[in-house]
Amino acid sequence: MTRLRTTVLGALAALGLVVASAAPAPAAAPITTALYTADPAALVVGDTMYLYTGHDEAPVGGTNFVMRDWHVFTSGDATTWTDQGAKLKIADFPWAGADAWAGEVEPKNGKYYWYVPVNGNGAGWMDIGVAVGDSPLGPFRDAKGGPLISDSTPNSSPLNIDPTVFTDDDGQSYIYWGSYYGLRAAKLKPDMINLDGSVITPQGVSNFWEAPWMFKRNGVYYLAYAANDSGCAASGYACIRYATASSPLGPWTHRGVVLDQVTSTTNHPAIIEFKGQWYMVYHNASSPGGGDFRRSVTLDKLYWNADGTMQKVVQTTGPGGGPGGPPTGANLALTATPSTSYVSPWETLAAVHDGYVPTSSADHSHGAYGNWDHQGTEWLEYRWNSAQSISRVATYWFDDDLGIDLPASCEVQYWNGSAYVDVPGQSACGTAANTYNVTTFPAVSTTRLRLSITSKSGYSTGVLEWMAL
Ligand code: FUB
């Protein structure tokens, strides 16, 4: 695994500099664009919401997590966030060596206990450690001198990560954790640094993958978690499901999906009430330069139904999740019927007109059109029931860095009543990655529009979004 540091951002963090949003951010803007953050845990103390996040430092194109510390962000309005710096790091656990993954802070006994998964230097891979501090901002120190949970813990998870700690009204605290479909739970002793009794395998938590988050509302226990079944997410991605129970260790009843898949493959929830409003805090890959290992924490409002179930969170997507946002104007593609000369059976033609804003040419999280293993010239076509006046198209190309590459060239064509012809006077048909390529032309009135795409030698082509305006 690479250990490269994102130089400027890393230097800022190391210096503990405060990074604040210059102006109130729009809903669901990332809490910061000064560094990549992931795996949020939320805590409210007084008038302040605290977000404890991981810190993604993978380089562009990195293929694995590079995570060495955790940051704390604070806000008084859940909109403007201040980075209080890296308040906990791997080096604070002398027995650990890497992988500062998803943690959570729990207040108890006038102290703040920060439970974190780390790669211990002993046998196995991930362990769960615990740090303690006297305030929500620390300073935090290793509370135990070794793992609280490891592979040698009887009945531990196949991957001991992602702790969530919950304290009930009677003062009893519980820890839930796990990944690789292995959810586990145990009571904590009053000292908060030892398990009390045996580890159980909670029942009824359907499709659990990882990232549990536990809380209580109106006497009902809620467990939200990442699931990656095909019923809610594309292959390799995750959604957030949740279950409820009438006692803290279950049994649980699955209640559905509360957050659809996001633009990163991983998905991680924190659900909390702050100043009378509930929030879903999560991460995605939608910040400029973002990716599966360069994630950004964001949040959206969460609403309840009268029966205590949660409404699915509406993810606010900003214009242009990556460089080059979509052009403004009515996108006539949304009402068109698409067809093509060829689409690979596993790809999704309909993806080209679903209005999704890709974060990069590799972002096929909402499906993609691809014509592998065809080469040469293929076409996409839109048809409408009545003639449309069209003067621009915008094409966001798909490039999977495998058999599908950016095209060699393209052309916009329209049906003139008896044949397809090139749209006269069109500007260059761009083939750039990670952006909307806009082609303009004197308006044509037509019921059919085509994008003729010619591949590079040895490659096929693909499209994530094709707009007609
Ligand atoms: O960030 C590393 C791991 O990815 C977390 O522990 C998981 O929850 C997933 O987000």
Side-chain angles (χ1 to χ4, degrees), residues 107-400:
K108 185 87 175 274
N109 309 329
K111 298 186 183 303
Y112 295 82
Y113 294 87
W114 197 340
Y115 299 83
V116 287
V118 287
N119 187 343
N121 291 325
W125 180 13
M126 296 298 285
D127 302 320
I128 293 175
V130 52
V132 65
D134 293 329
S135 86
L137 292 177
F140 292 93
R141 63 186 185 282
D142 183 8
K144 196 172 164 68
L148 167 66
I149 295 163
S150 70
D151 287 348
S152 60
T153 303
N155 190 35
S156 69
S157 170
L159 186 60
N160 292 301
I161 63 170
D162 296 1
T164 178
V165 174
F166 164 78
T167 303
D168 210 348
D169 306 331
D170 62 2
Q172 175 65 56
S173 298
Y174 302 83
I175 182 166
Y176 276 72
W177 76 96
S179 181
Y180 290 177
Y181 309 109
L183 177 64
R184 298 291 186 268
K187 288 182 179 175
L188 284 167
K189 287 188 172 169
D191 64 8
M192 297 295 273
I193 62 169
N194 287 289
L195 301 185
D196 190 357
S198 53
V199 172
I200 69 152
T201 302
Q203 300 300 306
V205 186
S206 304
N207 298 108
F208 174 85
W209 165 242
E210 62 181 8
W213 173 263
M214 188 171 173
F215 64 101
K216 188 179 184 182
R217 178 180 180 267
N218 294 342
V220 177
Y221 300 87
Y222 290 83
L223 191 71
Y225 53 95
N228 60 8
D229 56 282
S230 60
C232 76
S235 174
Y237 287 78
C239 73
I240 301 299
R241 294 184 177 277
Y242 76 104
T244 61
S246 56
S247 69
L249 290 175
W252 296 89
T253 303
H254 174 247
R255 298 293 181 190
V257 175
V258 63
L259 183 70
D260 283 329
Q261 74 177 55
V262 295
T263 48
S264 56
T265 48
T266 59
N267 202 333
H268 201 109
I271 297 172
I272 199 158
E273 184 180 20
F274 181 54
K275 297 185 175 174
Q277 174 65 55
W278 283 82
Y279 294 93
M280 166 68 80
V281 195
Y282 57 103
H283 65 222
N284 60 32
S286 297
S287 281
D292 288 336
F293 307 104
R294 295 160 63 84
R295 299 162 292 179
S296 290
V297 167
T298 187
L299 64 165
D300 271 304
K301 290 179 178 172
L302 180 146
Y303 297 97
W304 295 88
N305 296 313
D307 64 359
T309 55
M310 291 186 271
Q311 295 176 11
K312 193 183 279 187
V313 170
V314 177
Q315 295 177 43
T316 311
T317 49
T328 55
N331 181 11
L332 301 167
L334 298 175
T335 58
T337 302
S339 61
T340 181
S341 53
Y342 179 72
V343 58
S344 311
W346 55 88
E347 304 287 18
T348 316
L349 175 61
V352 301
H353 76 143
D354 65 0
Y356 175 65
V357 179
T359 59
S360 72
S361 284
D363 173 15
H364 56 115
S365 60
H366 286 234
Y369 161 78
N371 54 36
W372 193 83
D373 58 350
H374 283 206
Q375 294 175 21
T377 300
E378 302 288 341
W379 50 260
L380 280 182
E381 180 180 297
Y382 283 149
R383 289 190 187 206
W384 294 268
N385 290 333
S386 57
Q388 309 288 316
S389 175
I390 304 167
S391 60
R392 283 179 296 160
V393 298
T395 311
Y396 206 117
W397 299 106
F398 176 39
D399 177 1
D400 67 359

